[in-house]
Amino acid sequence: MEVPNTQENMSKCICNTCPTFIEGDKGFFCSLDRSDKQIVKKGCMCADCAIWAQYELKGGYFCAEGKAD
Ligand code: SF4
Ligand code: SF4
């Protein structure tokens, strides 16, 4: 399911607690699309995120794979 780009949704993103997250990156990748940075997968926290449950997302690593659809 697409995740609407709202301030409320963005505020629930937990990407900045994730080992894969690069300091200073935009986060909220399930809505904003993949990172511009070279992502090295070290684990993904998305399945623990309220947005992931609310929008019935599948998988994770939206920073590497692109936004949810
Ligand atoms: S599902 Fe992942 S990318 Fe989307 S808001 Fe949650 S932590 Fe961020
Ligand atoms: S999308 Fe998943 S892997 Fe990427 S930074 Fe967010 S929680 Fe981590």
Side-chain angles (χ1 to χ4, degrees):
M1 203 181 290
E2 281 196 33
V3 180
N5 180 7
T6 65
Q7 201 61 47
E8 187 185 358
N9 284 343
M10 191 182 293
S11 72
K12 294 176 182 168
C13 181
I14 59 171
C15 283
N16 63 356
T17 69
C18 168
T20 298
F21 185 74
I22 296 168
E23 193 65 39
D25 207 349
K26 61 186 177 183
F28 196 36
F29 303 105
C30 62
S31 179
L32 297 183
D33 209 358
R34 64 175 54 78
S35 176
D36 297 331
K37 302 183 190 298
Q38 191 66 43
I39 299 298
V40 178
K41 293 181 179 179
K42 299 176 181 172
C44 177
M45 304 296 289
C46 287
D48 292 335
C49 171
I51 295 296
W52 195 84
Q54 185 177 341
Y55 291 95
E56 301 176 357
L57 304 185
K58 307 268 189 291
Y61 286 111
F62 303 108
C63 55
E65 315 287 347
K67 65 182 177 180
D69 50 18

